[in-house]
Structure formats: structure tokens, C-alpha cells
Amino acid sequence: MSAARAIGLVLGVVADGALGDPRRRPPLTAFRRLPHRSGVLVATAAVLGGVALERAGRGRPLLQASATAVTTWAVLGAAGLALQGTELARDLEECRFEPARSTLSELDPRVADGLGAVALSRASVETLAENTSDAVVAPLVWGALAGVPGLLGARAVSLLRRARGGRRGHWAIDRLDELVHLLPTRVAAALTVLAAPVVGGSAGGAWRAWRRDTIAHPSPNAGRVEAAFAGALEIRVGGRTVYPHGVAELPVLGIGRNPDAGHVTRAVELSRVVGWLAGGTAVVLAVTAGLGRRSS
């Protein structure tokens, strides 16, 4: 069981990289377009279907590995995030702000109209960090611990929250989102610390920003990975952010200069490395969880 799940996760990660942009995957595209209430119903049905599929795979390693691989490919956003992040960096480097605003709007619910070079660079680093946690680390962590239902549930919660445009107020979804991402955000921040030197960043800076700056953040999860990215790249992010429903005054994360297009390029590289490390972490978690179940 544990080996089959681990193999499925690896195959799904490889498929995501090989087959590319998840925006071309009908299930995710269709889910994003659903009204909020319909999205909740579809997400619930998908998770229940995942539970049934996971149970059907018990004692049948080939079925479990195949189901895990296909689901991982379907929900993982690493390849698409790298592609869109590269587009953002290129447009910012060439001062093509309108295409950059359009790409940013696909990834983040904030109002991008009127954002200049510095604000777009800051927003790009923030959304790359947040999406690395939500669309890459969270599905892999929950996939390792709970299999197909974990993969589907983690991604569905992220999409439901994103569909609400950053608004809060729906108590059940807000609390569920916080609970689902409680572990993955911390895993993502820790992996960012490990990955920082690979892209020429500061592991110490990532650690200090993560531990120091997120204390002031109103959410138990939001800002942790953003702070770690900012510390790794030795820049500062956060501050005033405009959403369709209003303005949020968020704490400044990191210490250093304002980001530019070069930092966005490095954030894409950092996201890739964190994703690779998350894949390895998921395999270890899946095997460890399986061994724990056998011994109990």
C-alpha cells in the first residue's frame, strides 16, 4: 500500500512536468468556473469518489498506484506555476505591464489594475510563494497521508478559497482552509529554507523571516511561505493589498530591497526546487505512514 501510493505520487509528479500546463486540464478548468455553491458540491462529490477509489485500491497495488498517479497529475500545479511565473518575469523584464497584470490575475485574486513594476514584482513573488504551497506542497502532503481523497480535498479547498476572491466571512470554508493548510504551509516554509542556497538565496534569511515576520500576520497560515521566499531572496513583500472587496493592510515580510523582475525569475527557480523537495518529502511520508499502519 505505502509503496504503491509513493510510486503513484512520483509518477504523477513526473507527468505534471512532462505534460505541462494544468490550465489545459479540463477538470481543473471546469471547477474554477463553477459558482461557489456548485463548487462546494462538486468538491464534496470528488472527495467521496476519491474515498471509494482509495478503498477499491486496497490490496490492489496496481490500481492504487494508477489512481494516485492520475489524480496527482490532475491536481498538481507545479508545471503551470513555473510557466506562468516565467511569463511574469519575462513581461516585467521587458516592461510589458498589461500582459503581466493579466497573468497575475489568473494566479491571484488581488486587483492588478494600475500596478507598476515594483508592485507587480512584489505581487508576483507573493503569489508564486503562496501557489507553491497551495497547488504543489499541500496536495502532495495530503496525498502522501490520505491518498486520492487527500489529493482531491487539498486542491479543492484551495480552489474554493481562491474562487471567493480573497474574501473572508464563510466560517466553515475559512476554518477548513486554515485546517487543511496548517501542516503544508509549514512544510513549504521549511523546504524553502532548505532550497534557498540552491538558487543562490539565503537559508538564514528565509528562516529568520519565517519565524520573525509571520507573528504579526492575522492568519495562522498566510504569509509563512511568502515570508520564507522574501527572506531567501533578501527582499521585502507584503503591505497594502487591494482586493475586489476592499483593502487589506498586511504586515511587511522580509528585510531588504524592493523586488524586481530578476527576483521573480529567482522565485520561479525557488518554487521549482521546493516542488522537487516536496515530491521527495511526500514519498517519505507515504512510506512512513504505511509502515505505521502495518505496525499498529
Side-chain angles (χ1 to χ4, degrees), residues 77-292:
L81 183 60
L83 178 62
Q84 289 175 290
T86 301
E87 291 174 359
L88 277 168
R90 182 177 62 246
D91 288 337
L92 288 170
E93 186 68 36
E94 298 173 357
C95 297
R96 298 183 340 116
F97 297 145
E98 196 54 43
R101 294 184 189 112
S102 177
T103 302
L104 178 65
S105 295
E106 295 179 12
L107 291 167
D108 192 281
R110 78 184 69 200
V111 176
D113 296 343
L115 296 183
V118 172
L120 281 169
S121 297
R122 171 207 143 195
S124 297
V125 172
E126 290 174 359
T127 196
L128 283 165
E130 183 179 6
N131 278 279
T132 298
S133 178
D134 288 358
V136 183
V137 178
L140 287 172
V141 167
W142 284 112
L145 296 176
V148 173
L151 286 161
L152 292 169
R155 194 70 173 106
V157 168
S158 295
L159 290 172
L160 284 172
R161 184 198 65 200
R162 196 62 57 88
R164 297 177 62 231
R167 297 188 303 273
R168 302 189 70 80
H170 194 296
W171 186 90
I173 291 180
D174 291 343
R175 300 293 81 76
L176 180 61
D177 177 73
E178 290 176 355
L179 180 62
V180 166
H181 291 97
L182 200 65
L183 175 62
T185 52
R186 287 151 179 80
V187 172
L191 295 180
T192 302
V193 174
L194 294 176
V198 180
V199 299
S202 170
W207 170 259
R208 288 189 293 273
W210 170 25
R211 305 309 301 169
R212 177 192 63 232
D213 297 340
T214 52
I215 295 174
H217 206 285
S219 168
N221 299 323
R224 294 181 184 277
V225 185
E226 293 176 17
F229 264 60
L233 301 175
E234 298 177 290
I235 56 175
R236 63 176 182 269
V237 298
R240 188 175 188 269
T241 305
V242 180
Y243 293 100
H245 62 280
V247 178
E249 297 292 346
L250 301 175
V252 175
L253 309 173
I255 298 175
R257 56 177 291 188
N258 288 321
D260 56 28
H263 292 110
V264 178
T265 298
R266 292 178 63 204
V268 174
E269 296 170 355
L270 183 58
S271 175
R272 282 197 180 103
V273 178
V274 171
W276 295 335
L277 292 175
T281 302
V283 169
V284 173
L285 285 174
V287 172
T288 302
L291 292 175

Side-chain angles (χ1 to χ4, degrees), residues 11-131:
L11 291 175
V13 171
V14 171
D16 176 65
L19 300 178
D21 191 354
R23 289 175 293 181
R24 299 175 183 173
R25 300 173 199 175
L28 280 182
T29 303
F31 186 87
R32 289 192 183 100
R33 294 174 179 171
L34 288 173
H36 177 68
R37 184 169 296 179
S38 298
V40 172
L41 294 175
V42 171
T44 303
V47 172
L48 292 176
V51 171
L53 191 57
E54 188 73 16
R55 288 181 176 176
R58 289 178 181 174
R60 304 166 70 182
L62 182 59
L63 176 59
Q64 186 183 46
S66 299
T68 303
V70 171
T71 307
T72 302
W73 167 77
V75 305
L76 204 61
L81 183 60
L83 178 62
Q84 289 175 290
T86 301
E87 291 174 359
L88 277 168
R90 182 177 62 246
D91 288 337
L92 288 170
E93 186 68 36
E94 298 173 357
C95 297
R96 298 183 340 116
F97 297 145
E98 196 54 43
R101 294 184 189 112
S102 177
T103 302
L104 178 65
S105 295
E106 295 179 12
L107 291 167
D108 192 281
R110 78 184 69 200
V111 176
D113 296 343
L115 296 183
V118 172
L120 281 169
S121 297
R122 171 207 143 195
S124 297
V125 172
E126 290 174 359
T127 196
L128 283 165
E130 183 179 6
N131 278 279

